[in-house]
Amino acid sequence: MSNSEQEGQVVESLKPIDRSQLRIYFGKKYFRMKRYVDWYAGKKKYALEKVENRKPKVIASHQTLLLRELQDVEMWLQHNKIRNLKIAAKQISGVIVQPGETLSYWRLIGSTSKRKGYVEGMILHYGKVTVGVGGGLCQLSNLIYWITLHTPLKVTERYRHSYDVFPDSNRSQPFGSGATCAYNYLDLQITNETSQPYQLILYLTDTHLVGEWRADNPATSRYEVYEKDHLISKEYWGGYVRHNSIYRRVYDLQGGLIDDEFITQNHAIMMYEPMLTTSAKY
C-alpha cells in the first residue's frame, strides 16, 4: 500500500550514524528543495479545496488522547502540543480529495513557525526527546495514517519511526502503525484512486484528537489492521532493534474476507531495555 522508498526493504543494519550538524543542515535544505519542486512542478494533482460542510457518511474514524504520561517528558510540552495540534488540524480539516488527487500533509499545513502561532513542543530527533517550535504534530500524522488504513484510499508516501523511544503500556494499535513527519521532506501523502471524493475532518475535544474520513456514499468494506513477525533482535553493535510487519484484512459488509494484504515493514532502534518494566504510558 505504501510506495515510500524505505518501505518493504530488507534492513541490513540500523546502527545509528553520527552525522555532523553541517551535514544535517544541508541535507534538510536539499530534501526540502526537492519537495518544493514536486509540489509546484511535479505531475501530481494535490488536494487544496476545503469546505466547511461535512460529507454525510463517516467511512473511518479514530481518536487519540491529547495528554499522555511519557517517561522523562514534562507535561508543559504536552499542553503546548495541544496548541500546535489545534493550528495544524485547522489547516487540513475539511479538505476534499477528489478522484485522482493526492493529499500532502505538509503542503496543507505549511511550515510551523512562531509567526503562525506555533509554540515549543516535543520533537524526537535521532531517538532523543528534544524541544522545537511546532513539536507534537506526529500525533496528527499518526492519526491520519491510521484512519486511512481503514478506507480504500491509498497511502503513497509514509515514513516509519526509526526509533522506538517509549516502552509500551496499554497499546491499542500494532507497533509501527503510525507515520513520522518532519517539514517538509518527511511527508504523508494519500491518493484517491476511487470514483468518489473523500473529505478529511479533524478536530480536538477536551481530551482527544479526533479524525474522520467522510464521503457521500457509505462504506462498502470493513478493514482490520494487524501485525505479524514481531520480534526484537540484538545487534552486533550492542543495541536492540524492534521489527514487525503490518497487514490488513478487507471484509465485505457481510463479513466475507475479500483480501489479506501486506502494508509495510517496521524496523526501529529501541531506546530502552527490551525487558524494561515501567508505569509510563505510550
Side-chain angles (χ1 to χ4, degrees), residues 10 18 66-67 118 131 172 213 261:
V10 176
D18 187 15
L66 292 170
L67 295 176
Y118 288 98
V131 174
S172 60
W213 275 113
E261 56 188 357

Side-chain angles (χ1 to χ4, degrees), residues 12-15 231-243 268 270 272-274:
E12 295 181 0
S13 174
L14 286 182
K15 182 179 180 179
L231 63 92
I232 295 172
S233 63
K234 178 69 178 291
E235 301 298 308
Y236 73 92
W237 43 269
Y240 293 89
V241 175
R242 191 173 183 178
H243 315 264
M270 299 181 69
Y272 56 91
E273 290 296 322

Side-chain angles (χ1 to χ4, degrees), residues 1-18:
M1 182 158 179
S2 173
N3 292 331
S4 173
E5 290 182 359
Q6 67 169 317
E7 305 291 354
Q9 295 182 356
V10 176
V11 176
E12 295 181 0
S13 174
L14 286 182
K15 182 179 180 179
I17 300 173
D18 187 15

Side-chain angles (χ1 to χ4, degrees), residues 79-131:
H79 290 285
N80 279 10
K81 174 195 71 177
I82 294 174
R83 181 170 172 178
N84 293 336
L85 287 171
K86 287 180 179 179
I87 299 171
K90 187 177 180 180
Q91 294 300 112
I92 301 180
S93 187
V95 66
I96 302 293
V97 187
Q98 298 286 352
E101 288 187 339
T102 294
L103 179 151
S104 167
Y105 179 81
W106 282 122
R107 179 156 185 185
L108 291 169
I109 292 176
S111 60
T112 55
S113 64
K114 289 184 179 180
R115 179 178 56 83
K116 296 179 181 178
Y118 288 98
V119 293
E120 289 188 335
M122 185 185 74
I123 292 176
L124 299 178
H125 183 70
Y126 288 91
K128 297 179 181 179
V129 175
T130 61
V131 174

